[in-house]
Amino acid sequence: MRNNLRRPAVDPLTTVRNLGILAHVDAGKTTVTERILYLTGATHKRGEVHEGTTVTDFDSQERDRGITIFAAAVSCDWDGHRINLIDTPGHVDFSDEVERSLRVLDGAVAVFDAVAGVEPQSESVWQQADRHGVPRIAFVNKMDRAGADLDTAVASIRERLHTVPLVVHLPIGREDEFTGVVDLVRMRALVWHTGRDAFEEGPVPEPLGDEARRRRRLLEETAAELHPAALEEFCEHSRVSDETLAGALREVTRNGEGLVVLCGSAYRNRGVEPLLQAVVDLLPAPPDVPAVRGTLDGTPQERPADPAAPLASLVFKVHSTPTGRLTFVRVYSGTIRKGDTVLDAGARRTERVARILRVQADRHAEVDSAVAGDIVALVGVKSSRTGATLCDPASPLVLEPPTVAAPVVSVAVGARRSPDADRLASALARLVEEDPSLAVGTDPETGQTLLSGMGELHLEVAVEKIRRAHAIDVGVGRPRVAYRETVVRGVSGLLYRHVKQDGGAGQFAHVVLDVEALEPAEDARTGGDDGFAFGSTVTGGRVPQEYIRAVEAGCRDALAEGPLGGHPVTGLRVTLTDGATHAKDSSEMAFRAAGRFALREALRAAGMALLEPVVEVTVTVPDEAVGGVLGDLAARRGRVTGSTTRAGGAVVTATVPLAELFGYASRLRSRTQGRGTFTTRAAGHAPVPAAVAEGILPR
């Protein structure tokens, strides 16, 4: 007799995973991505970074430099699931690419070097993922290297990232004898043999039996501490079953309470299949994450991950190619079809979608539609910028755009040939459109065109892109850094009267301000991120609330230029202590002007100091070069904060002014015969010594 019962339909969205690969530069992100593409059949040959044959590092500069510069999106299929993957840069200068990618991802794989463990940029991208609430799993890569140690890498994860590692692998073999892993969840051995792509599954090797059981017990105890069902089973039976443990690992990954840690060697193709399975089993699908939130006429709204809901998608990247403009979007809800007209909600203009492409780095496959959960590129969208919301014209919604970091370094750029001047302006405009962390402006004193970015390498790449893509001979001046000014000695009771009478309604505003230095801890408590806090102690309604807000706006206007050298002002608290109004002539405009002029006057009377951006530098050098490197850092006004030894070398960390690091790469190579490397991470601003400030500030 035929069974007429139908199996419940599987929601296609539950088989989608949108994830990023995050790591410090040179931890092996791109190699991991290439092995994933190879194993899933998306490519038929393994791409190698050192050979310049990778799919995701397709740009000529990426292949020349051997690093990832631009976030590249690829898609592949594994175990009935579609994986949309973004390979992100690991260099600090391109952290804005990571920020834009994390904004549209549902999960991530954090890759760590088995020798180095957590490195500076590993911490930075981890903090970025924390801000976006992106669930993560960890892959300790390069287990075949000399000095590789899983336990040491896990210890650094626990200490520096402040998370709870749940290690599910035990390595089989050490260093160049690393051949596989013991899966501690299912208590089985996975072994890869040289020359074979597939692994062999078998029992746990007898010499590792006791250690595997000990680590399985530790994994059960850690899971029980984090998960109620695992705790209940552990208390009742003194063990946790494979099924309960797997469910606990999935839940603690998705709620961010723990970090599942796997290991392998992507270069040797060992450990990638378990990583893929962990992505499918542990990381969330679009329906598993909270509904995307936006605003409609200032009112908060939510859109579910439902293809039948009104369209809501976010532009996270714009890329110009020789054949046209590609607009990369994450579709959060609804469906977008070829030929649709969509609304750019922020700009309040419509765009027509001519084609929809599923992207494989620099290769594309055209599709007829994209649904909630998809990451695709659109052709035909002419004006929408990064951060724009493309939505259903009948149901407008504005999604929160990715944050854009403020540039810290500037160079003067100009065309060497006069006929190229207009083409250079057009090329710069296109650069800024593609990379919002770049900015173009004009020096008011010299009239030079200034290109600003996140670091020296960032600007080098941008200028080289102009030369290669637009065939323009560009001249570049010495980089300049973004200085700030701050208050070191405040003023109290500064009175300012703004009175203006030139016929008709006049302007009258009377304010009294206290200005003082703002402590960093106080800035964190107030939730500020711009180094400015404003308060009012005015009583008795002497200044109405709407005028107090106008005074604050005026004070913020005054922060744009400080009295020392016209640099932005930060690190101060302003308190409005008193004021007076006029029955007819007072207005918000008058009090805003009073706030602006009063703070400018207060800053001229206060004690001010110049601040400069500083970075944390991590230098890896051979033992014999340590002395010279330390001396060079001291000459660059660097303050050494730590030094550790590694096999055959040392790792030195120091805080160095950004202005002193220009040209450091060449200097380090020459001092270490090309064997020294360094990385940087932004570390805020610090006061400029008086002797140095004299040479910076205008006389």
Side-chain angles (χ1 to χ4, degrees):
M1 183 176 178
R2 176 178 294 180
N3 186 348
N4 290 323
L5 294 176
R6 295 184 178 180
R7 297 179 62 187
V10 176
D11 182 356
L13 290 182
T14 63
T15 64
V16 175
R17 299 291 184 272
N18 293 314
L19 70 138
I21 307 293
L22 312 174
H24 183 89
V25 65
D26 214 26
K29 296 181 310 303
T30 300
T31 302
V32 169
T33 304
E34 293 297 323
R35 295 304 182 265
I36 288 175
L37 293 177
Y38 177 71
L39 287 171
T40 57
T43 59
H44 303 291
K45 182 182 178 182
R46 301 176 190 173
E48 304 291 356
V49 174
H50 59 277
E51 294 177 358
T53 57
T54 56
V55 172
T56 52
D57 286 355
F58 59 87
D59 186 86
S60 59
Q61 288 202 70
E62 292 178 310
R63 293 182 170 177
D64 289 348
R65 298 174 186 268
I67 61 171
T68 300
I69 296 172
F70 309 107
V74 292
S75 294
C76 57
D77 296 297
W78 175 263
D79 192 27
H81 293 69
R82 186 174 78 251
I83 299 175
N84 298 319
L85 188 153
I86 298 180
D87 179 22
T88 65
H91 196 285
V92 64
D93 282 17
F94 308 104
S95 59
D96 211 59
E97 287 271 339
V98 182
E99 185 75 20
R100 294 196 296 274
S101 298
L102 284 170
R103 174 64 179 81
V104 300
L105 294 173
D106 301 326
V109 175
V111 180
F112 300 96
D113 188 312
V115 178
V118 176
E119 298 174 270
Q121 190 61 9
S122 305
E123 291 186 73
S124 296
V125 296
W126 188 267
Q127 291 163 4
Q128 288 177 291
D130 277 343
R131 288 199 300 272
H132 290 279
V134 176
R136 280 144 280 173
I137 59 178
F139 182 68
V140 179
N141 191 28
K142 302 187 178 183
M143 289 296 298
D144 57 325
R145 283 186 60 192
D149 189 296
L150 177 61
D151 291 338
T152 302
V154 170
S156 71
I157 290 173
R158 180 183 295 108
E159 294 165 7
R160 302 189 66 173
L161 303 183
H162 309 293
T163 188
V164 181
L166 296 113
V167 184
V168 298
H169 281 173
L170 169 64
I172 300 175
R174 291 181 59 85
E175 301 179 350
D176 61 352
E177 295 180 357
F178 171 74
T179 58
V181 297
V182 174
D183 177 358
L184 298 175
V185 177
R186 296 176 177 83
M187 291 304 286
R188 57 179 181 163
L190 309 178
V191 178
W192 287 263
H193 296 287
T194 303
R196 299 183 188 176
D197 290 332
F199 63 85
E200 287 186 4
E201 181 178 340
V204 177
E206 186 60 32
L208 294 176
D210 290 342
E211 181 65 10
R213 286 186 286 273
R214 184 187 72 82
R215 293 189 180 230
R216 164 65 186 237
R217 180 73 174 181
L218 179 62
L219 177 60
E220 292 177 359
E221 292 174 353
T222 307
E225 292 175 358
L226 301 173
H227 191 268
L231 176 61
E232 182 179 345
E233 188 172 312
F234 187 81
C235 291
E236 185 174 348
H237 303 289
S238 294
R239 65 180 301 275
V240 180
S241 66
D242 294 357
E243 293 74 17
T244 302
L245 181 58
L249 294 177
R250 179 170 56 253
E251 290 191 31
V252 299
T253 296
R254 295 183 181 184
N255 62 29
E257 293 182 357
L259 177 71
V260 172
V261 181
L262 305 92
C263 69
S265 168
Y267 179 69
R268 294 196 180 185
N269 211 32
R270 294 171 183 172
V272 181
E273 294 97 324
L275 174 63
L276 276 167
Q277 199 60 48
V279 165
V280 167
D281 293 342
L282 304 178
L283 294 179
D288 299 325
V289 299
V292 68
R293 295 181 178 181
T295 57
L296 176 59
D297 296 327
T299 305
Q301 300 278 334
E302 287 189 352
R303 291 279 171 86
D306 181 358
L311 174 68
S313 62
L314 183 72
V315 177
F316 69 95
K317 183 178 176 68
V318 174
H319 180 55
S320 296
T321 71
T323 57
R325 185 180 193 261
L326 296 180
T327 303
F328 290 79
V329 299
R330 160 70 190 267
V331 183
Y332 284 100
S333 70
T335 301
I336 186 169
R337 297 177 178 84
K338 184 168 63 174
D340 278 357
T341 297
V342 296
L343 174 69
D344 184 332
R348 297 186 180 276
R349 60 170 172 258
T350 57
E351 299 273 6
R352 184 177 178 276
V353 178
R355 297 161 62 205
I356 303 174
L357 306 177
R358 196 169 301 285
V359 180
Q360 200 79 337
D362 60 339
R363 294 172 291 171
H364 319 117
E366 188 166 346
V367 295
D368 293 329
S369 63
V371 301
D374 274 337
I375 293 177
V376 294
L378 307 180
V379 178
V381 178
K382 300 183 183 300
S383 305
S384 296
R385 306 286 291 268
T386 299
T389 302
L390 300 182
C391 59
D392 185 343
S395 300
L397 185 75
V398 178
L399 303 178
E400 182 183 356
T403 58
V404 179
V408 297
V409 182
S410 301
V411 292
V413 295
R416 296 187 186 277
R417 298 181 303 172
S418 298
D420 288 339
D422 290 341
R423 293 177 57 223
L424 176 60
S426 176
L428 289 171
R430 183 172 294 182
L431 265 184
V432 174
E433 182 181 70
E434 293 187 12
D435 185 353
S437 60
L438 291 169
V440 176
T442 303
D443 188 320
E445 296 182 4
T446 65
Q448 290 178 307
T449 298
L450 299 180
L451 177 63
S452 305
M454 303 304 298
E456 193 174 5
L457 179 60
H458 190 203
L459 295 178
E460 280 182 22
V461 168
V463 170
E464 187 62 25
K465 189 171 184 179
I466 294 175
R467 289 171 176 155
R468 296 188 184 192
H470 302 277
I472 300 173
D473 188 7
V474 183
V476 180
R478 178 177 171 79
R480 305 192 318 164
V481 301
Y483 292 100
R484 298 285 186 269
E485 298 178 25
T486 192
V487 173
V488 292
R489 187 186 68 254
V491 295
S492 299
L494 187 135
L495 184 150
Y496 186 86
R497 291 170 58 88
H498 179 70
V499 181
K500 189 175 182 181
Q501 194 75 43
D502 53 3
Q507 294 184 27
F508 178 90
H510 173 186
V511 297
V512 180
L513 301 181
D514 287 352
V515 178
E516 58 189 325
L518 180 67
E519 297 296 329
E522 182 183 4
D523 191 25
R525 288 196 304 273
T526 59
D529 57 3
D530 55 0
F532 174 72
F534 181 87
S536 171
T537 60
V538 177
T539 58
R542 290 177 58 81
V543 180
Q545 191 61 40
E546 62 269 23
Y547 292 169
I548 293 176
R549 289 194 295 268
V551 174
E552 179 181 358
C555 289
R556 289 187 179 276
D557 294 340
L559 298 177
E561 294 184 5
L564 295 180
H567 308 291
V569 182
T570 187
L572 73 161
R573 167 180 285 281
V574 176
T575 304
L576 178 65
T577 60
D578 200 1
T581 62
H582 187 276
K584 293 183 179 179
D585 293 344
S586 290
S587 64
E588 291 186 27
M589 181 175 68
F591 272 87
R592 181 165 184 160
R596 181 171 65 254
F597 294 130
L599 184 54
R600 286 180 181 174
E601 190 171 306
L603 293 177
R604 286 194 291 269
M608 302 293 292
L610 190 66
L611 300 177
E612 62 183 344
V614 295
V615 295
E616 180 186 273
V617 183
T618 303
V619 190
T620 304
V621 294
D623 284 332
E624 62 271 18
V626 171
V629 167
L630 290 174
D632 189 38
L633 288 173
R636 296 173 185 270
R637 297 192 284 124
R639 180 173 58 87
V640 176
T641 56
S643 178
T644 58
T645 58
R646 251 183 222 168
V651 179
V652 177
T653 57
T655 302
V656 185
L658 181 62
E660 300 290 346
L661 279 181
F662 298 128
Y664 184 62
S666 300
R667 181 69 171 172
L668 181 64
R669 283 194 295 268
S670 66
R671 281 187 173 274
T672 61
Q673 289 77 49
R675 295 155 61 199
T677 61
F678 80 101
T679 59
T680 62
R681 183 178 64 164
H685 286 73
V688 179
V692 178
E694 287 181 4
I696 298 172
L697 297 175
R699 297 182 181 278

PDB file of all heavy atoms in Angstrom, residues 356-376:
ATOM      1  N   ILE A 356      21.583  40.256 -12.899  1.00  0.00           N
ATOM      2  CA  ILE A 356      21.961  39.781 -11.567  1.00  0.00           C
ATOM      3  C   ILE A 356      23.028  38.708 -11.749  1.00  0.00           C
ATOM      4  O   ILE A 356      22.842  37.772 -12.528  1.00  0.00           O
ATOM      5  CB  ILE A 356      20.755  39.211 -10.807  1.00  0.00           C
ATOM      6  CG1 ILE A 356      19.647  40.264 -10.698  1.00  0.00           C
ATOM      7  CG2 ILE A 356      21.168  38.733  -9.422  1.00  0.00           C
ATOM      8  CD1 ILE A 356      18.361  39.733 -10.093  1.00  0.00           C
ATOM      9  N   LEU A 357      24.138  38.851 -11.022  1.00  0.00           N
ATOM     10  CA  LEU A 357      25.269  37.938 -11.200  1.00  0.00           C
ATOM     11  C   LEU A 357      25.605  37.243  -9.888  1.00  0.00           C
ATOM     12  O   LEU A 357      25.665  37.891  -8.829  1.00  0.00           O
ATOM     13  CB  LEU A 357      26.513  38.702 -11.685  1.00  0.00           C
ATOM     14  CG  LEU A 357      26.360  39.560 -12.941  1.00  0.00           C
ATOM     15  CD1 LEU A 357      27.654  40.303 -13.221  1.00  0.00           C
ATOM     16  CD2 LEU A 357      25.969  38.695 -14.134  1.00  0.00           C
ATOM     17  N   ARG A 358      25.786  35.936  -9.956  1.00  0.00           N
ATOM     18  CA  ARG A 358      26.371  35.213  -8.838  1.00  0.00           C
ATOM     19  C   ARG A 358      27.876  35.236  -9.055  1.00  0.00           C
ATOM     20  O   ARG A 358      28.365  34.790 -10.096  1.00  0.00           O
ATOM     21  CB  ARG A 358      25.837  33.784  -8.767  1.00  0.00           C
ATOM     22  CG  ARG A 358      26.113  33.138  -7.414  1.00  0.00           C
ATOM     23  CD  ARG A 358      25.373  31.843  -7.232  1.00  0.00           C
ATOM     24  NE  ARG A 358      23.935  31.984  -7.326  1.00  0.00           N
ATOM     25  CZ  ARG A 358      23.156  32.509  -6.389  1.00  0.00           C
ATOM     26  NH1 ARG A 358      23.709  32.972  -5.278  1.00  0.00           N
ATOM     27  NH2 ARG A 358      21.854  32.590  -6.540  1.00  0.00           N
ATOM     28  N   VAL A 359      28.601  35.744  -8.086  1.00  0.00           N
ATOM     29  CA  VAL A 359      29.996  36.122  -8.301  1.00  0.00           C
ATOM     30  C   VAL A 359      30.939  35.030  -7.824  1.00  0.00           C
ATOM     31  O   VAL A 359      30.743  34.423  -6.772  1.00  0.00           O
ATOM     32  CB  VAL A 359      30.306  37.438  -7.568  1.00  0.00           C
ATOM     33  CG1 VAL A 359      31.754  37.841  -7.787  1.00  0.00           C
ATOM     34  CG2 VAL A 359      29.381  38.541  -8.053  1.00  0.00           C
ATOM     35  N   GLN A 360      31.952  34.792  -8.633  1.00  0.00           N
ATOM     36  CA  GLN A 360      33.046  33.891  -8.279  1.00  0.00           C
ATOM     37  C   GLN A 360      34.332  34.694  -8.450  1.00  0.00           C
ATOM     38  O   GLN A 360      35.071  34.528  -9.410  1.00  0.00           O
ATOM     39  CB  GLN A 360      33.033  32.657  -9.188  1.00  0.00           C
ATOM     40  CG  GLN A 360      33.790  31.464  -8.632  1.00  0.00           C
ATOM     41  CD  GLN A 360      32.964  30.724  -7.593  1.00  0.00           C
ATOM     42  OE1 GLN A 360      32.070  31.292  -6.998  1.00  0.00           O
ATOM     43  NE2 GLN A 360      33.262  29.467  -7.368  1.00  0.00           N
ATOM     44  N   ALA A 361      34.551  35.640  -7.486  1.00  0.00           N
ATOM     45  CA  ALA A 361      35.685  36.569  -7.558  1.00  0.00           C
ATOM     46  C   ALA A 361      35.569  37.431  -8.810  1.00  0.00           C
ATOM     47  O   ALA A 361      34.683  38.265  -8.901  1.00  0.00           O
ATOM     48  CB  ALA A 361      37.010  35.816  -7.489  1.00  0.00           C
ATOM     49  N   ASP A 362      36.434  37.211  -9.819  1.00  0.00           N
ATOM     50  CA  ASP A 362      36.372  38.020 -11.032  1.00  0.00           C
ATOM     51  C   ASP A 362      35.575  37.348 -12.139  1.00  0.00           C
ATOM     52  O   ASP A 362      35.550  37.828 -13.271  1.00  0.00           O
ATOM     53  CB  ASP A 362      37.787  38.354 -11.523  1.00  0.00           C
ATOM     54  CG  ASP A 362      38.604  37.101 -11.841  1.00  0.00           C
ATOM     55  OD1 ASP A 362      38.251  36.012 -11.332  1.00  0.00           O
ATOM     56  OD2 ASP A 362      39.586  37.217 -12.586  1.00  0.00           O
ATOM     57  N   ARG A 363      34.931  36.214 -11.841  1.00  0.00           N
ATOM     58  CA  ARG A 363      34.082  35.545 -12.820  1.00  0.00           C
ATOM     59  C   ARG A 363      32.637  35.603 -12.345  1.00  0.00           C
ATOM     60  O   ARG A 363      32.371  35.638 -11.148  1.00  0.00           O
ATOM     61  CB  ARG A 363      34.532  34.093 -13.016  1.00  0.00           C
ATOM     62  CG  ARG A 363      35.916  33.972 -13.661  1.00  0.00           C
ATOM     63  CD  ARG A 363      36.392  32.532 -13.642  1.00  0.00           C
ATOM     64  NE  ARG A 363      36.694  32.112 -12.278  1.00  0.00           N
ATOM     65  CZ  ARG A 363      36.967  30.850 -11.947  1.00  0.00           C
ATOM     66  NH1 ARG A 363      36.952  29.904 -12.860  1.00  0.00           N
ATOM     67  NH2 ARG A 363      37.242  30.533 -10.698  1.00  0.00           N
ATOM     68  N   HIS A 364      31.695  35.599 -13.297  1.00  0.00           N
ATOM     69  CA  HIS A 364      30.305  35.809 -12.940  1.00  0.00           C
ATOM     70  C   HIS A 364      29.407  34.838 -13.693  1.00  0.00           C
ATOM     71  O   HIS A 364      29.681  34.491 -14.839  1.00  0.00           O
ATOM     72  CB  HIS A 364      29.874  37.253 -13.266  1.00  0.00           C
ATOM     73  CG  HIS A 364      30.898  38.287 -12.918  1.00  0.00           C
ATOM     74  ND1 HIS A 364      31.503  39.098 -13.853  1.00  0.00           N
ATOM     75  CD2 HIS A 364      31.454  38.605 -11.736  1.00  0.00           C
ATOM     76  CE1 HIS A 364      32.368  39.892 -13.259  1.00  0.00           C
ATOM     77  NE2 HIS A 364      32.360  39.615 -11.975  1.00  0.00           N
ATOM     78  N   ALA A 365      28.340  34.416 -13.018  1.00  0.00           N
ATOM     79  CA  ALA A 365      27.320  33.588 -13.657  1.00  0.00           C
ATOM     80  C   ALA A 365      25.986  34.311 -13.508  1.00  0.00           C
ATOM     81  O   ALA A 365      25.573  34.645 -12.393  1.00  0.00           O
ATOM     82  CB  ALA A 365      27.256  32.210 -13.015  1.00  0.00           C
ATOM     83  N   GLU A 366      25.318  34.562 -14.620  1.00  0.00           N
ATOM     84  CA  GLU A 366      24.076  35.333 -14.574  1.00  0.00           C
ATOM     85  C   GLU A 366      22.935  34.464 -14.070  1.00  0.00           C
ATOM     86  O   GLU A 366      22.805  33.291 -14.421  1.00  0.00           O
ATOM     87  CB  GLU A 366      23.754  35.885 -15.964  1.00  0.00           C
ATOM     88  CG  GLU A 366      22.590  36.857 -15.973  1.00  0.00           C
ATOM     89  CD  GLU A 366      22.490  37.643 -17.268  1.00  0.00           C
ATOM     90  OE1 GLU A 366      23.468  37.634 -18.051  1.00  0.00           O
ATOM     91  OE2 GLU A 366      21.439  38.265 -17.491  1.00  0.00           O
ATOM     92  N   VAL A 367      22.101  35.050 -13.195  1.00  0.00           N
ATOM     93  CA  VAL A 367      20.900  34.387 -12.684  1.00  0.00           C
ATOM     94  C   VAL A 367      19.714  35.315 -12.898  1.00  0.00           C
ATOM     95  O   VAL A 367      19.875  36.526 -13.105  1.00  0.00           O
ATOM     96  CB  VAL A 367      21.037  34.027 -11.188  1.00  0.00           C
ATOM     97  CG1 VAL A 367      22.128  32.997 -10.980  1.00  0.00           C
ATOM     98  CG2 VAL A 367      21.310  35.266 -10.352  1.00  0.00           C
ATOM     99  N   ASP A 368      18.509  34.740 -12.862  1.00  0.00           N
ATOM    100  CA  ASP A 368      17.303  35.530 -13.119  1.00  0.00           C
ATOM    101  C   ASP A 368      16.814  36.275 -11.888  1.00  0.00           C
ATOM    102  O   ASP A 368      16.129  37.304 -12.008  1.00  0.00           O
ATOM    103  CB  ASP A 368      16.179  34.632 -13.651  1.00  0.00           C
ATOM    104  CG  ASP A 368      16.497  34.082 -15.038  1.00  0.00           C
ATOM    105  OD1 ASP A 368      17.203  34.784 -15.795  1.00  0.00           O
ATOM    106  OD2 ASP A 368      16.055  32.964 -15.346  1.00  0.00           O
ATOM    107  N   SER A 369      17.139  35.762 -10.691  1.00  0.00           N
ATOM    108  CA  SER A 369      16.630  36.408  -9.482  1.00  0.00           C
ATOM    109  C   SER A 369      17.530  36.071  -8.303  1.00  0.00           C
ATOM    110  O   SER A 369      18.354  35.156  -8.358  1.00  0.00           O
ATOM    111  CB  SER A 369      15.195  35.951  -9.189  1.00  0.00           C
ATOM    112  OG  SER A 369      15.166  34.553  -8.925  1.00  0.00           O
ATOM    113  N   ALA A 370      17.361  36.827  -7.242  1.00  0.00           N
ATOM    114  CA  ALA A 370      18.053  36.580  -5.977  1.00  0.00           C
ATOM    115  C   ALA A 370      17.037  36.757  -4.862  1.00  0.00           C
ATOM    116  O   ALA A 370      16.190  37.650  -4.925  1.00  0.00           O
ATOM    117  CB  ALA A 370      19.221  37.541  -5.795  1.00  0.00           C
ATOM    118  N   VAL A 371      17.117  35.903  -3.852  1.00  0.00           N
ATOM    119  CA  VAL A 371      16.140  35.933  -2.772  1.00  0.00           C
ATOM    120  C   VAL A 371      16.825  36.237  -1.446  1.00  0.00           C
ATOM    121  O   VAL A 371      18.053  36.322  -1.369  1.00  0.00           O
ATOM    122  CB  VAL A 371      15.380  34.586  -2.679  1.00  0.00           C
ATOM    123  CG1 VAL A 371      14.664  34.284  -3.978  1.00  0.00           C
ATOM    124  CG2 VAL A 371      16.346  33.448  -2.326  1.00  0.00           C
ATOM    125  N   ALA A 372      15.998  36.418  -0.410  1.00  0.00           N
ATOM    126  CA  ALA A 372      16.512  36.686   0.925  1.00  0.00           C
ATOM    127  C   ALA A 372      17.613  35.697   1.280  1.00  0.00           C
ATOM    128  O   ALA A 372      17.462  34.491   1.101  1.00  0.00           O
ATOM    129  CB  ALA A 372      15.370  36.593   1.939  1.00  0.00           C
ATOM    130  N   GLY A 373      18.729  36.211   1.796  1.00  0.00           N
ATOM    131  CA  GLY A 373      19.873  35.373   2.134  1.00  0.00           C
ATOM    132  C   GLY A 373      20.955  35.354   1.085  1.00  0.00           C
ATOM    133  O   GLY A 373      22.069  34.920   1.362  1.00  0.00           O
ATOM    134  N   ASP A 374      20.669  35.838  -0.123  1.00  0.00           N
ATOM    135  CA  ASP A 374      21.651  35.797  -1.208  1.00  0.00           C
ATOM    136  C   ASP A 374      22.622  36.974  -1.133  1.00  0.00           C
ATOM    137  O   ASP A 374      22.279  38.072  -0.671  1.00  0.00           O
ATOM    138  CB  ASP A 374      20.947  35.827  -2.569  1.00  0.00           C
ATOM    139  CG  ASP A 374      20.535  34.445  -3.047  1.00  0.00           C
ATOM    140  OD1 ASP A 374      21.140  33.466  -2.595  1.00  0.00           O
ATOM    141  OD2 ASP A 374      19.616  34.358  -3.877  1.00  0.00           O
ATOM    142  N   ILE A 375      23.833  36.740  -1.613  1.00  0.00           N
ATOM    143  CA  ILE A 375      24.823  37.790  -1.846  1.00  0.00           C
ATOM    144  C   ILE A 375      25.150  37.749  -3.327  1.00  0.00           C
ATOM    145  O   ILE A 375      25.677  36.752  -3.828  1.00  0.00           O
ATOM    146  CB  ILE A 375      26.086  37.576  -0.996  1.00  0.00           C
ATOM    147  CG1 ILE A 375      25.753  37.753   0.494  1.00  0.00           C
ATOM    148  CG2 ILE A 375      27.190  38.544  -1.407  1.00  0.00           C
ATOM    149  CD1 ILE A 375      26.927  37.494   1.417  1.00  0.00           C
ATOM    150  N   VAL A 376      24.817  38.824  -4.042  1.00  0.00           N
ATOM    151  CA  VAL A 376      24.960  38.855  -5.497  1.00  0.00           C
ATOM    152  C   VAL A 376      25.485  40.222  -5.923  1.00  0.00           C
ATOM    153  O   VAL A 376      25.564  41.157  -5.123  1.00  0.00           O
ATOM    154  CB  VAL A 376      23.615  38.565  -6.208  1.00  0.00           C
ATOM    155  CG1 VAL A 376      23.163  37.149  -5.950  1.00  0.00           C
ATOM    156  CG2 VAL A 376      22.546  39.562  -5.762  1.00  0.00           C
TER     157      VAL A 376
END
